[in-house]
Amino acid sequence: NAGVMQNPRHLVRRRGQEARLRCSPMKGHSHVYWYRQLPEEGLKFMVYLQKENIIDESGMPKERFSAEFPKEGPSILRIQQVVRGDSAAYFCASSPSLGGYEQYFGPGTRLTVT
Amino acid sequence: DQQVKQNSPSLSVQEGRISILNCDYTNSMFDYFLWYKKYPAEGPTFLISISSIKDKNEDGRFTVFLNKSAKHLSLHIVPSQPGDSAVYFCAASIYSNDYKLSFGAGTTVTVRA
Protein backbone atom coordinates (compact mmCIF):
# COMPACT_ATOMS: atom_id res chain seq x y z
CA ASN A 1 0.00 0.00 0.00
CA ALA A 2 1.74 3.12 -1.21
CA GLY A 3 2.05 5.94 1.26
CA VAL A 4 1.12 9.56 0.76
CA MET A 5 2.81 10.85 -2.35
CA GLN A 6 3.81 14.41 -3.02
CA ASN A 7 5.31 15.92 -6.11
CA PRO A 8 7.43 17.58 -6.98
CA ARG A 9 9.82 16.97 -4.10
CA HIS A 10 11.70 20.15 -4.86
CA LEU A 11 10.35 23.18 -6.67
CA VAL A 12 12.17 26.37 -7.54
CA ARG A 13 10.17 29.39 -8.60
CA ARG A 14 11.07 32.99 -9.27
CA ARG A 15 9.19 35.74 -7.49
CA GLY A 16 5.86 36.35 -9.16
CA GLN A 17 5.49 32.87 -10.64
CA GLU A 18 2.92 30.29 -9.63
CA ALA A 19 3.66 27.15 -7.63
CA ARG A 20 1.50 24.02 -7.80
CA LEU A 21 2.07 21.30 -5.24
CA ARG A 22 0.38 17.92 -5.61
CA CYS A 23 -0.61 15.37 -3.03
CA SER A 24 -2.00 11.89 -3.60
CA PRO A 25 -3.44 10.49 -0.37
CA MET A 26 -3.10 6.92 0.72
CA LYS A 27 -5.56 4.53 -0.86
CA GLY A 28 -8.85 4.61 0.98
CA HIS A 29 -8.14 7.95 2.65
CA SER A 30 -10.67 10.69 2.00
CA HIS A 31 -9.31 13.36 4.37
CA VAL A 32 -6.38 15.53 3.26
CA TYR A 33 -4.49 18.14 5.26
CA TRP A 34 -1.79 20.58 4.22
CA TYR A 35 0.89 21.91 6.57
CA ARG A 36 3.70 24.38 6.04
CA GLN A 37 7.05 24.33 7.81
CA LEU A 38 9.02 27.55 7.74
CA PRO A 39 12.74 27.40 8.61
CA GLU A 40 13.38 26.81 12.32
CA GLU A 41 9.68 26.37 13.02
CA GLY A 42 7.22 23.53 13.47
CA LEU A 43 4.66 22.42 10.94
CA LYS A 44 1.67 24.75 10.82
CA PHE A 45 -1.79 23.63 9.76
CA MET A 46 -3.05 25.29 6.60
CA VAL A 47 -6.16 23.55 5.30
CA TYR A 48 -8.31 20.44 5.63
CA LEU A 49 -10.16 19.05 2.64
CA GLN A 50 -12.42 16.18 1.76
CA LYS A 51 -13.30 15.23 -1.78
CA GLU A 52 -14.58 18.35 -3.55
CA ASN A 53 -14.94 20.23 -0.26
CA ILE A 54 -12.80 22.60 1.75
CA ILE A 55 -13.69 21.87 5.36
CA ASP A 56 -11.33 24.20 7.23
CA GLU A 57 -8.98 26.73 5.65
CA SER A 58 -8.36 28.73 8.79
CA GLY A 59 -4.57 28.34 8.45
CA MET A 60 -4.34 29.50 4.87
CA PRO A 61 -3.00 32.97 4.11
CA LYS A 62 -5.86 35.14 2.93
CA GLU A 63 -4.34 35.95 -0.44
CA ARG A 64 -2.52 34.02 -3.17
CA PHE A 65 -3.04 30.58 -1.60
CA SER A 66 -5.74 28.12 -2.60
CA ALA A 67 -6.31 24.39 -2.27
CA GLU A 68 -8.55 21.84 -3.89
CA PHE A 69 -9.23 18.13 -3.70
CA PRO A 70 -11.20 17.20 -6.83
CA LYS A 71 -13.35 14.15 -7.26
CA GLU A 72 -10.63 12.60 -9.41
CA GLY A 73 -6.94 13.20 -9.04
CA PRO A 74 -4.63 14.57 -6.39
CA SER A 75 -5.12 17.43 -4.01
CA ILE A 76 -3.47 20.62 -5.23
CA LEU A 77 -2.04 23.47 -3.20
CA ARG A 78 -1.64 26.50 -5.42
CA ILE A 79 0.40 29.57 -4.59
CA GLN A 80 0.07 32.48 -6.97
CA GLN A 81 2.66 35.23 -7.38
CA VAL A 82 5.11 33.61 -5.02
CA VAL A 83 7.31 35.72 -2.76
CA ARG A 84 10.52 34.84 -0.93
CA GLY A 85 8.60 34.32 2.30
CA ASP A 86 6.74 31.41 0.72
CA SER A 87 9.98 29.38 0.72
CA ALA A 88 9.24 26.48 3.01
CA ALA A 89 8.56 22.76 3.18
CA TYR A 90 4.94 21.92 2.45
CA PHE A 91 3.65 18.66 3.85
CA CYS A 92 0.47 16.87 2.95
CA ALA A 93 -1.16 14.31 5.22
CA SER A 94 -4.12 12.02 4.77
CA SER A 95 -6.29 9.99 7.08
CA PRO A 96 -9.05 7.41 6.69
CA SER A 97 -11.19 9.26 9.20
CA LEU A 98 -11.04 12.41 11.24
CA GLY A 99 -8.21 12.12 13.73
CA GLY A 100 -4.87 13.68 14.48
CA TYR A 101 -3.06 10.48 15.31
CA GLU A 102 -4.21 8.88 12.09
CA GLN A 103 -2.63 11.47 9.84
CA TYR A 104 -0.05 9.90 7.55
CA PHE A 105 2.37 12.41 6.14
CA GLY A 106 3.96 12.61 2.74
CA PRO A 107 7.65 13.40 2.26
CA GLY A 108 6.96 17.07 1.58
CA THR A 109 7.68 19.52 -1.20
CA ARG A 110 10.47 21.96 -0.60
CA LEU A 111 9.65 25.24 -2.33
CA THR A 112 12.42 27.72 -2.95
CA VAL A 113 11.58 31.16 -4.25
CA THR A 114 14.47 33.02 -5.84
CA ASP B 1 2.78 32.44 17.88
CA GLN B 2 4.35 29.17 18.90
CA GLN B 3 1.87 27.35 21.12
CA VAL B 4 4.05 24.25 21.27
CA LYS B 5 7.71 24.68 22.08
CA GLN B 6 10.64 22.33 21.96
CA ASN B 7 13.45 24.34 23.46
CA SER B 8 16.24 21.89 22.76
CA PRO B 9 17.00 21.84 19.03
CA SER B 10 19.34 18.88 19.40
CA LEU B 11 20.21 16.00 21.69
CA SER B 12 23.14 13.59 21.55
CA VAL B 13 22.98 10.35 23.51
CA GLN B 14 25.02 7.19 23.70
CA GLU B 15 23.55 3.96 22.41
CA GLY B 16 21.84 2.06 25.19
CA ARG B 17 21.22 5.15 27.32
CA ILE B 18 17.98 7.02 27.86
CA SER B 19 16.91 9.86 25.55
CA ILE B 20 14.63 12.46 27.14
CA LEU B 21 12.91 14.96 24.87
CA ASN B 22 10.94 17.84 26.34
CA CYS B 23 8.00 19.82 25.09
CA ASP B 24 6.06 22.75 26.58
CA TYR B 25 2.74 24.19 25.48
CA THR B 26 0.92 27.40 26.23
CA ASN B 27 -2.65 26.70 25.13
CA SER B 28 -4.61 25.26 28.06
CA MET B 29 -7.27 24.03 25.62
CA PHE B 30 -4.92 21.35 24.28
CA ASP B 31 -5.89 17.95 25.58
CA TYR B 32 -4.35 15.51 23.14
CA PHE B 33 -0.64 15.24 22.52
CA LEU B 34 1.40 13.33 19.97
CA TRP B 35 5.01 12.65 19.13
CA TYR B 36 6.17 12.23 15.56
CA LYS B 37 9.50 11.00 14.26
CA LYS B 38 11.00 12.23 11.02
CA TYR B 39 13.89 10.88 8.98
CA PRO B 40 15.56 13.05 6.31
CA ALA B 41 13.63 13.21 3.02
CA GLU B 42 10.60 11.57 4.62
CA GLY B 43 7.43 12.87 6.21
CA PRO B 44 6.79 12.73 9.96
CA THR B 45 5.48 9.38 11.20
CA PHE B 46 3.28 8.97 14.23
CA LEU B 47 5.11 7.52 17.24
CA ILE B 48 3.00 7.74 20.37
CA SER B 49 0.23 9.86 21.83
CA ILE B 50 -1.38 10.69 25.14
CA SER B 51 -4.72 12.07 26.18
CA SER B 52 -4.96 14.65 28.95
CA ILE B 53 -6.86 12.22 31.16
CA LYS B 54 -3.63 10.24 31.53
CA ASP B 55 -0.22 11.20 32.81
CA LYS B 56 1.73 8.37 31.21
CA ASN B 57 1.53 6.22 28.12
CA GLU B 58 3.98 3.49 27.24
CA ASP B 59 4.66 1.65 24.00
CA GLY B 60 7.70 -0.57 23.98
CA ARG B 61 10.82 1.54 24.36
CA PHE B 62 8.83 4.78 24.16
CA THR B 63 7.07 6.43 27.09
CA VAL B 64 5.35 9.79 27.11
CA PHE B 65 4.73 11.66 30.36
CA LEU B 66 2.27 14.52 30.69
CA ASN B 67 2.26 17.15 33.43
CA LYS B 68 -0.86 19.21 32.81
CA SER B 69 -0.30 21.67 35.63
CA ALA B 70 3.12 22.54 34.21
CA LYS B 71 1.90 22.30 30.61
CA HIS B 72 4.83 20.03 29.93
CA LEU B 73 5.33 16.67 28.35
CA SER B 74 8.34 14.52 27.71
CA LEU B 75 9.25 11.53 25.60
CA HIS B 76 11.58 8.90 27.01
CA ILE B 77 13.34 6.42 24.75
CA VAL B 78 14.95 3.52 26.59
CA PRO B 79 17.30 2.10 25.49
CA SER B 80 18.31 4.42 22.66
CA GLN B 81 19.30 2.72 19.43
CA PRO B 82 21.11 4.05 16.33
CA GLY B 83 17.88 3.82 14.34
CA ASP B 84 16.35 6.33 16.73
CA SER B 85 18.51 9.08 15.23
CA ALA B 86 15.92 11.40 13.71
CA VAL B 87 14.00 14.62 14.28
CA TYR B 88 11.24 14.32 16.88
CA PHE B 89 8.24 16.62 16.79
CA CYS B 90 5.86 17.22 19.63
CA ALA B 91 2.31 18.07 18.53
CA ALA B 92 -0.91 18.98 20.28
CA SER B 93 -4.58 19.39 19.45
CA ILE B 94 -7.87 20.40 21.00
CA TYR B 95 -9.72 17.14 20.92
CA SER B 96 -12.92 18.58 19.62
CA ASN B 97 -10.98 19.96 16.67
CA ASP B 98 -8.46 17.21 16.59
CA TYR B 99 -7.34 17.28 12.99
CA LYS B 100 -5.62 20.63 13.48
CA LEU B 101 -2.25 19.71 14.93
CA SER B 102 0.10 22.33 16.36
CA PHE B 103 3.72 21.27 16.12
CA GLY B 104 6.89 22.21 17.92
CA ALA B 105 10.01 23.02 15.93
CA GLY B 106 11.52 19.61 16.56
CA THR B 107 14.49 18.11 18.36
CA THR B 108 17.22 16.35 16.40
CA VAL B 109 18.36 13.23 18.23
CA THR B 110 21.71 11.66 17.45
CA VAL B 111 22.46 8.28 18.98
CA ARG B 112 26.20 7.63 19.22
CA ALA B 113 27.57 4.11 18.98
Side-chain angles (χ1 to χ4, degrees):
Chain A
N1 186 14
V4 177
M5 299 178 70
Q6 290 189 249
N7 68 81
R9 296 294 306 278
H10 300 275
L11 182 62
V12 179
R13 284 287 177 267
R14 290 186 176 160
R15 279 179 296 171
Q17 291 185 320
E18 179 180 286
R20 280 187 178 237
L21 289 63
R22 294 174 188 78
C23 168
S24 296
M26 285 181 73
K27 189 175 180 181
H29 288 193
S30 58
H31 303 256
V32 167
Y33 319 82
W34 285 92
Y35 289 82
R36 175 166 70 171
Q37 184 183 21
L38 295 170
E40 310 298 323
E41 295 186 13
L43 284 72
K44 284 191 166 54
F45 169 82
M46 299 180 76
V47 62
Y48 160 44
L49 311 103
Q50 293 183 24
K51 284 283 186 181
E52 300 185 275
N53 286 304
I54 298 173
I55 308 301
D56 182 352
E57 55 182 350
S58 58
M60 290 274 272
K62 294 287 184 282
E63 296 176 351
R64 302 187 296 108
F65 284 71
S66 62
E68 62 177 10
F69 189 15
K71 188 176 179 181
E72 302 291 338
S75 175
I76 307 274
L77 179 68
R78 183 180 174 209
I79 311 172
Q80 294 178 291
Q81 299 175 322
V82 296
V83 301
R84 287 230 171 96
D86 297 332
S87 295
Y90 292 83
F91 290 94
C92 166
S94 72
S95 66
S97 60
L98 195 62
Y101 67 94
E102 284 194 298
Q103 290 185 28
Y104 294 82
F105 283 82
T109 293
R110 183 161 294 281
L111 172 66
T112 302
V113 179
T114 61
Chain B
D1 62 329
Q2 285 280 95
Q3 298 186 74
V4 178
K5 296 180 183 178
Q6 294 176 257
N7 292 320
S8 297
S10 63
L11 172 71
S12 180
V13 64
Q14 196 162 8
E15 183 178 0
R17 298 291 191 101
I18 185 171
S19 293
I20 300 177
L21 290 79
N22 294 304
C23 176
D24 298 292
Y25 61 95
T26 57
N27 189 340
S28 57
M29 297 290 288
F30 287 147
D31 61 1
Y32 190 67
F33 305 90
L34 310 91
W35 285 93
Y36 282 81
K37 178 179 179 179
K38 183 183 179 306
Y39 291 118
E42 296 183 11
T45 55
F46 170 73
L47 193 57
I48 192 169
S49 64
I50 188 166
S51 163
S52 61
I53 62 173
K54 293 186 173 183
D55 55 18
K56 177 182 173 181
N57 188 26
E58 197 171 348
D59 183 1
R61 297 185 297 112
F62 302 91
T63 303
V64 57
F65 295 92
L66 175 63
N67 182 334
K68 278 196 71 176
S69 60
K71 294 193 181 70
H72 176 83
L73 62 155
S74 61
L75 174 69
H76 292 207
I77 308 173
V78 184
S80 300
Q81 299 175 352
D84 297 331
S85 295
V87 179
Y88 290 79
F89 292 100
C90 171
S93 68
I94 301 167
Y95 193 73
S96 61
N97 207 12
D98 67 356
Y99 56 82
K100 196 182 294 188
L101 300 176
S102 295
F103 283 81
T107 296
T108 300
V109 172
T110 303
V111 180
R112 310 184 310 272

